[in-house]
Amino acid sequence: MNDAAADPLDNELAKARSGERAAFGVLVQAHQRSVYSLALRMLGTRDLAEDLTQEVFMQLNGNLRSIDSNRHLRFWLRQVTSNRAIDQLRRRARLQWTSLEEETQLFSDEEDSDPLLQRHMRALLAELSPPARAVLLLRYQEDLDPQDIARTLDMPLNTVKSHLKRSLESMREKTAGLVPARCEDNST
């Protein structure tokens, strides 16, 4: 079976690479929510996330010829978004966070069951270093496995695992008593 026929967006990618603007629009529309959501969770403000999302798609427009499939495109978008967000956070002399609890357009398949817990978790996420935050978001928002995260962030696998372990331990300590026992992850 031909992999290109498996994903209809591969055809749109081929059209976009040949210069068809409408096809590029289809690709943007298909991926903008996930790029924006990752940028928003990394940067913490709508304005910065919107700007970063626009920059990522402008960069994509110039790099279309190097993208060979929709699967590769998803990888490329996560990589560029994560790296640009990390760079932006590192450039900021002093991190100033705007509350994420106001954001209602995050890319998520689940409804927040406990708004107070969600607000607390977003605050804890904002306290993490940019690379640790990127690792957690790619793992739990984008559902990537550690090897894919390592490739996406160009980071050693053991560093990814270390970020996951330390960040989760820290967040568990800070949420002790807030999370009901039935919700705890006993798989580690």
Side-chain angles (χ1 to χ4, degrees):
M1 179 184 223
N2 186 353
D3 288 336
D7 189 337
L9 288 176
D10 286 343
N11 293 329
E12 296 300 320
L13 178 61
K15 292 176 189 176
R17 280 197 312 255
S18 68
E20 191 174 310
R21 296 177 66 119
F24 183 74
V26 169
L27 295 174
V28 170
Q29 199 167 35
H31 296 288
Q32 69 185 356
R33 284 186 55 189
S34 62
V35 170
Y36 172 76
S37 182
L38 181 58
L40 178 64
R41 291 195 188 252
M42 287 288 300
L43 299 173
T45 67
R46 290 179 186 180
D47 290 341
L48 293 174
E50 288 169 359
D51 290 346
L52 182 68
T53 300
Q54 188 173 36
E55 291 171 15
V56 167
F57 284 109
M58 287 173 38
Q59 185 175 347
L60 171 62
N61 193 37
N63 288 287
L64 272 175
R65 296 206 184 278
S66 67
I67 309 294
D68 58 14
S69 69
N70 189 51
R71 182 176 179 195
H72 181 213
L73 175 59
R74 285 191 310 265
F75 170 82
W76 187 93
L77 289 169
R78 287 179 185 132
Q79 183 178 46
V80 171
T81 303
S82 298
N83 288 335
R84 280 179 162 265
I86 289 170
D87 290 345
Q88 196 171 83
L89 288 170
R90 285 180 175 159
R91 281 192 303 264
R92 284 158 70 178
R94 181 171 161 231
L95 298 178
Q96 296 178 350
W97 297 101
T98 300
S99 158
L100 288 178
E101 54 269 6
E102 301 168 4
E103 183 55 50
T104 60
Q105 297 176 345
L106 292 178
F107 183 69
S108 175
D109 294 332
E110 298 178 17
E111 288 292 320
D112 294 342
S113 58
D114 184 346
L116 293 175
L117 178 60
Q118 294 300 320
R119 183 179 310 136
H120 186 68
M121 295 304 288
R122 284 189 292 266
L124 292 176
L125 186 64
E127 292 176 6
L128 297 175
S129 70
R133 187 176 324 144
V135 167
L136 278 182
L137 289 172
L138 289 172
R139 176 68 184 111
Y140 296 106
Q141 177 179 321
E142 299 294 318
D143 200 28
L144 296 182
D145 63 43
Q147 291 174 329
D148 289 336
I149 296 169
R151 283 186 324 146
T152 299
L153 297 177
D154 195 24
M155 183 182 285
L157 179 60
N158 286 335
T159 303
V160 168
K161 289 179 179 180
S162 177
H163 278 306
L164 283 170
K165 184 177 186 329
R166 283 187 309 221
S167 298
L168 290 174
E169 285 174 358
S170 171
M171 292 178 86
R172 280 185 183 124
E173 288 173 13
K174 292 177 180 180
T175 58
L178 293 176
V179 180
R182 62 181 165 76
C183 294
E184 292 179 1
D185 180 13
N186 295 322
S187 64
T188 54

